[in-house]
Amino acid sequence: MQNKKLIRGFSKRNKEERIDFLIERLGLTEQIRNWLYTFESDDSDFQRIIDELSENPVSNYHMPFCIAPNFLVNGVSRTFPLVTEESSVVAALGKAAAFWAERGGFHTEITGTEKKGQVHFKWKGNPEKLAVLFPGFREKLMADSFGITARMEARGGGITSLELRYLPEILPDYYQLDVSFETLDAMGANFINSVLEKLAESLLQIFAESGLFSAEEKDCEIIMAILSNHTPGSRVKVWTECPVSELAGLDGTANFAEKFTEAVHIAQNDVSRAVTHNKGILNGIDALSIATGNDFRAIEAGVHAFAARNGKYASLSHSEISNGQFRFEMEIPLAVGVVGGTTAVHPLAKFALRILDDPSAKELMGYLAVAGLASNFAAIRALITSGIQRGHMKMHLSNILSQLQVSENERAEIQKHFADKTVSYSEVENFLNKKRNAKTTS
Ligand code: MEV
């Protein structure tokens, strides 16, 4: 029976009709329509691009597009484009970049670019028979997918391995076609998924038409075909180092390097701390991946799985002191692209890549890892010295002032008053009310 309350065919409504829907649902006035349009671009070509990124848009949702200079990466100075709503992230990254630029900067090394996907299927025949026959199927599977892989292969990419796995411990009669890919400068999600769906189709054909299987054995059930965001074969290392003596006394902390290393050690051994520690790393990685049009949910999923690779979720970064030298490092999986997808259509994503001098996917992996380590360094530096709230809330003050709709004079007065104080919404509001009351009674 159809649920009459369900709204069907909503995506067929145009923007006006979708806003009509909101006005009616929320009991709003017509004014909301113009208000929603104020967030849109006057450039209709650009607006069309944004509208087509998703379904059912009613407006644009803005985030600041920021830049942070002074990232010295493998000896070259870079400016990072960053998109984040967290006010302190860009300031923290800028500070960490400048700090390390004076100490040799960040170093990166790519240790792999392999991406993976699987065709998950069930087959009730003899697993040994399939294991024996499978090498003979590989050629046909590869040949059948050639229509999709040809262009990628011409550029040096494509399928790099195709294996059969029998995994009855997961489900009875369950198998995987486990496929590895090289996708060069593309993140490759669409490419990989198209290839996997083609492989699934060919597999069914092999069972049905090869003449190698009995009537019963012809029956193969494809469960799904999808890439994996677990990309431990696509990895980047990043590190930075300096003599411990250069850190002594930093921010008034005599044993800075030791305290820093202890803070990282805690994150390596305590899950509650590790999750927050890694969130600080992803503050930087996400900001750069959003700016460059990369899929930050895929990155997050892969990075968190990697953080738990030894059976216990732990810090992604590592810090050590050896022979008077402080070293801060991290190795993480990243599957990103600089061609195709959002990077190809969003003008600001293209511009972000231009700011980075149009990097290859490998170079972008390095920059993302640098953003992660820099953001982690800045967070721990604040945590072990002044605490996080001072810097955080100072940046947050401008958000509070926007919410309180203060005048220019009030803004200046409040900023001066809170320059050396820890900020909270209620304290700012109380201060503002007192000032306003004093003015009306005088
Ligand atoms: C806040 O966005 C991130 C931090 O909590 C990270 C950390 O605790 O290391 C400051």
Side-chain angles (χ1 to χ4, degrees):
M1 209 178 74
Q2 273 209 346
N3 183 342
K4 293 214 172 81
K5 283 196 181 136
L6 276 184
I7 298 149
R8 296 187 193 276
F10 192 76
S11 62
K12 293 198 186 76
R13 298 190 194 183
N14 64 28
K15 197 180 274 184
E16 287 291 321
E17 291 165 338
R18 291 194 287 268
I19 297 175
D20 288 344
F21 167 82
L22 282 180
I23 289 174
E24 195 192 313
R25 265 287 158 109
L26 303 175
L28 301 169
T29 66
E30 266 297 314
Q31 276 172 327
I32 201 76
R33 192 182 306 277
N34 284 340
W35 181 75
L36 284 170
Y37 284 143
T38 59
F39 299 103
E40 297 212 338
S41 173
D42 292 337
D43 178 336
S44 57
D45 290 340
F46 173 75
Q47 189 53 46
R48 191 170 325 108
I49 291 170
I50 300 301
D51 284 345
E52 285 173 359
L53 285 177
S54 188
E55 191 162 275
N56 298 344
V58 290
S59 186
N60 292 352
Y61 189 104
H62 292 255
M63 298 251 271
F65 181 89
C66 310
I67 53 168
N70 296 322
F71 280 94
L72 189 64
V73 185
N74 301 329
V76 181
S77 183
R78 297 278 175 211
T79 295
F80 280 8
L82 302 158
V83 173
T84 175
E85 90 301 346
E86 191 171 330
S87 36
S88 57
V89 166
V90 177
L93 280 168
K95 201 171 159 189
F99 181 86
W100 283 107
E102 289 177 337
R103 291 163 180 81
F106 295 89
H107 311 275
T108 65
E109 187 188 318
I110 307 302
T111 54
T113 55
E114 177 193 63
K115 288 159 193 167
K116 301 274 268 188
Q118 283 108 18
V119 178
H120 305 261
F121 67 97
K122 279 168 74 177
W123 183 70
K124 287 197 163 62
N126 179 349
E128 279 164 25
K129 174 174 176 179
L130 193 55
V132 171
L133 290 173
F134 185 75
F137 298 160
R138 197 181 272 119
E139 208 173 310
K140 174 174 164 53
L141 289 167
M142 298 284 276
D144 284 357
S145 62
F146 191 67
I148 305 168
T149 59
R151 279 182 59 206
M152 187 67 89
E153 281 188 28
R155 284 183 276 135
I159 296 174
T160 54
S161 86
L162 177 54
E163 300 301 329
L164 178 73
R165 302 205 192 291
Y166 176 47
L167 299 163
E169 63 277 21
I170 295 180
L171 274 178
D173 311 314
Y174 168 63
Y175 296 81
Q176 289 178 357
L177 277 187
D178 188 77
V179 195
S180 300
F181 298 87
E182 171 54 61
T183 60
L184 306 166
D185 275 341
M187 194 271 187
N190 282 331
F191 167 75
I192 293 175
N193 287 332
S194 302
V195 172
L196 292 169
E197 287 185 6
K198 185 71 199 171
L199 290 173
E201 201 183 298
S202 304
L203 192 68
L204 288 179
Q205 216 176 31
I206 289 171
F207 281 114
E209 296 169 15
S210 63
L212 295 164
F213 298 102
S214 67
E216 274 178 6
E217 286 174 336
K218 283 184 179 177
D219 193 21
C220 164
E221 184 192 357
I222 302 290
I223 300 175
M224 58 192 160
I226 185 72
L227 67 73
S228 171
N229 290 124
H230 184 44
T231 56
S234 188
R235 287 232 287 268
V236 52
K237 266 190 201 165
V238 56
W239 70 95
T240 194
E241 55 192 339
C242 72
V244 171
S245 56
E246 281 194 33
L247 299 174
L250 184 63
D251 299 335
T253 307
N255 58 344
F256 183 94
E258 291 79 2
K259 207 171 165 189
F260 189 99
T261 300
E262 282 168 0
V264 179
H265 184 75
I266 294 169
Q268 273 163 348
N269 292 280
D270 178 78
V271 176
S272 293
R273 176 59 203 145
V275 174
T276 322
H277 177 100
N278 290 344
K279 189 270 182 184
I281 292 172
L282 283 153
N283 274 343
I285 296 180
D286 281 353
L288 182 53
S289 70
I290 295 171
T292 55
N294 273 283
D295 181 346
F296 61 96
R297 286 88 54 211
I299 292 176
E300 291 249 0
V303 160
H304 288 301
F306 190 72
R309 67 194 177 285
N310 296 325
K312 190 177 162 211
Y313 188 94
S315 158
L316 291 158
S317 60
H318 174 80
S319 165
E320 68 177 33
I321 296 172
S322 168
N323 298 326
Q325 190 76 357
F326 168 81
R327 185 177 161 100
F328 186 39
E329 64 190 5
M330 170 168 85
E331 184 169 11
I332 49 167
L334 285 173
V336 296
V338 292
V339 295
T342 311
T343 49
V345 289
H346 198 302
L348 283 172
K350 281 191 215 169
F351 185 60
L353 290 170
R354 222 180 121 197
I355 293 173
L356 290 169
D357 229 355
D358 289 318
S360 64
K362 279 186 182 173
E363 283 166 334
L364 183 59
M365 282 168 79
Y367 300 148
L368 287 160
V370 168
L373 199 71
S375 165
N376 192 206
F377 177 80
I380 299 172
R381 175 178 177 177
L383 288 170
I384 63 167
T385 56
S386 61
I388 207 74
Q389 280 313 87
R390 181 162 289 213
H392 243 227
M393 295 312 278
K394 207 176 273 172
M395 297 301 294
H396 190 48
L397 179 59
S398 47
N399 288 348
I400 296 173
L401 295 178
S402 302
Q403 284 174 55
L404 290 172
Q405 299 187 335
V406 295
S407 68
E408 279 308 306
N409 283 347
E410 287 171 336
R411 178 178 289 267
E413 218 173 328
I414 293 169
Q415 274 169 340
K416 192 169 163 213
H417 178 79
F418 283 95
D420 57 352
K421 296 180 182 62
T422 298
V423 177
S424 80
Y425 186 93
S426 54
E427 273 171 84
V428 176
E429 194 177 31
N430 285 343
F431 179 79
L432 178 67
N433 288 340
K434 263 192 216 148
K435 285 275 159 203
R436 284 181 177 170
N437 287 340
K439 273 205 183 107
T440 48
T441 51
S442 65

